[in-house]
Amino acid sequence: MQLWLCPLVAFLMGSIPFGYFIAKSKGIDIRDHGSGNIGATNVFRVIGKKQGLICLFLDALKGFIPVILAVNLVPVLGRDPAIQFELLDAFQMMPPPEQFTAQLVHVITALAAVLGHNYSPWIGFKGGKGIATSAGVIIALMPAAIVLLLIIFLVTLLISRYVALASIVSAISLPILTHLGARFHKTPDGISLWEAGTWNKPLFFFSLIIGILAVWKHRTNIGRLMSGTESRFVWGKKKHTVTPDV
């Protein structure tokens, strides 16, 4: 039952439009302001820094929780179902068929959470751009990667002051980091998972899909970046203008 229950729960949790509710609590329909996006950056710009950070945390949490549940409900052979992050090491303990099934359930659950955020049925199958929710699922699946992605995001943001550009660069970097992880992680025999053929294939394709999806959701930002009309990120300043979103 958990094979289909995990993705279903993930989609429902991911579809909760926290940005919309936070703005509504202030008497504002976030869809009518800024970029019209329900993501954390638009909330940050339109409502305020505190509300934006709360939205960022909640959007990440709704990606993190269902994936952690999937990891526990569809456990890896040889590991007790508990909150743990060393998934690549754990997958090495499983015979290929069971290993692949567990990996597939985990990444489908993760993808369902992101799609729930991006296409929430509660607001007409519209939503955010999935960056914060993707960060939540990545923390659950491969925490080392999220540290590197955060560094990439912050460096790009500091240099360019474009949230959209930082998000796009991070999205493109994700499948690259996943591939490098497969090459650097070793089996007990000292062979890389890539060479041994035991690398997490579903995780790589998941990272590729959400990377492409994130870039696609930023297509209007890409147009504004190319035309020079994209708004730069400014701390502590609320603006009712078109802005990049997560």
Side-chain angles (χ1 to χ4, degrees):
M1 182 177 66
Q2 61 265 37
L3 296 182
W4 60 265
L5 185 61
C6 288
L8 177 61
V9 170
F11 183 83
L12 292 176
M13 287 192 66
S15 69
I16 301 173
F18 286 117
Y20 174 80
F21 291 141
I22 290 171
K24 269 296 183 182
S25 71
K26 300 294 182 179
I28 296 174
D29 189 335
I30 193 68
R31 297 172 297 178
D32 296 331
H33 297 276
S35 67
N37 194 279
I38 66 165
T41 303
N42 203 33
V43 173
F44 184 101
R45 293 293 186 91
V46 174
I47 310 300
K49 180 168 65 175
K50 178 181 177 181
Q51 290 79 8
L53 291 175
I54 291 173
C55 183
L56 178 67
F57 174 76
L58 292 175
D59 281 349
L61 195 63
K62 70 185 185 183
F64 175 81
I65 290 176
V67 175
I68 284 297
L69 289 175
V71 168
N72 287 285
L73 292 174
V74 188
V76 173
L77 184 66
R79 298 293 289 263
D80 294 330
I83 296 177
Q84 48 83 27
F85 297 117
E86 297 177 359
L87 296 185
L88 289 177
D89 293 335
F91 285 143
Q92 295 176 32
M93 301 179 183
M94 294 187 64
E98 290 85 353
Q99 170 182 298
F100 184 82
T101 299
Q103 293 171 339
L104 194 59
V105 172
H106 298 165
V107 300
I108 290 176
T109 300
L111 183 60
V114 176
L115 291 176
H117 174 78
N118 288 358
Y119 305 100
S120 173
W122 313 116
I123 49 174
F125 290 95
K126 296 180 181 180
K129 297 180 178 177
I131 300 301
T133 305
S134 295
V137 303
I138 294 168
I139 291 172
L141 289 173
M142 41 181 178
I146 199 64
V147 175
L148 295 174
L149 287 173
L150 182 60
I151 293 172
I152 292 171
F153 179 90
L154 291 175
V155 169
T156 306
L157 180 60
L158 288 172
I159 293 173
S160 69
R161 288 180 34 222
Y162 288 120
V163 175
L165 182 60
S167 299
I168 292 167
V169 171
S170 300
I172 294 172
S173 300
L174 178 58
I176 297 173
L177 292 176
T178 307
H179 171 76
L180 292 175
R183 288 193 174 275
F184 281 102
H185 279 82
K186 305 291 184 180
T187 67
D189 298 327
I191 304 173
S192 74
L193 298 183
W194 185 270
E195 294 175 352
T198 58
W199 54 284
N200 193 334
K201 300 174 181 66
L203 183 60
F204 173 75
F205 285 107
F206 163 74
S207 68
L208 191 61
I209 290 170
I210 65 168
I212 293 172
L213 183 62
V215 173
W216 170 253
K217 293 289 284 185
H218 282 86
R219 62 191 182 279
T220 55
N221 300 86
I222 293 173
R224 291 197 296 268
L225 285 167
M226 294 179 67
S227 64
T229 58
E230 178 74 351
S231 298
R232 291 180 182 271
F233 185 81
V234 180
W235 279 94
K237 185 177 181 181
K238 290 193 292 184
K239 295 174 63 177
H240 291 263
T241 56
V242 176
T243 58
D245 295 281
V246 297

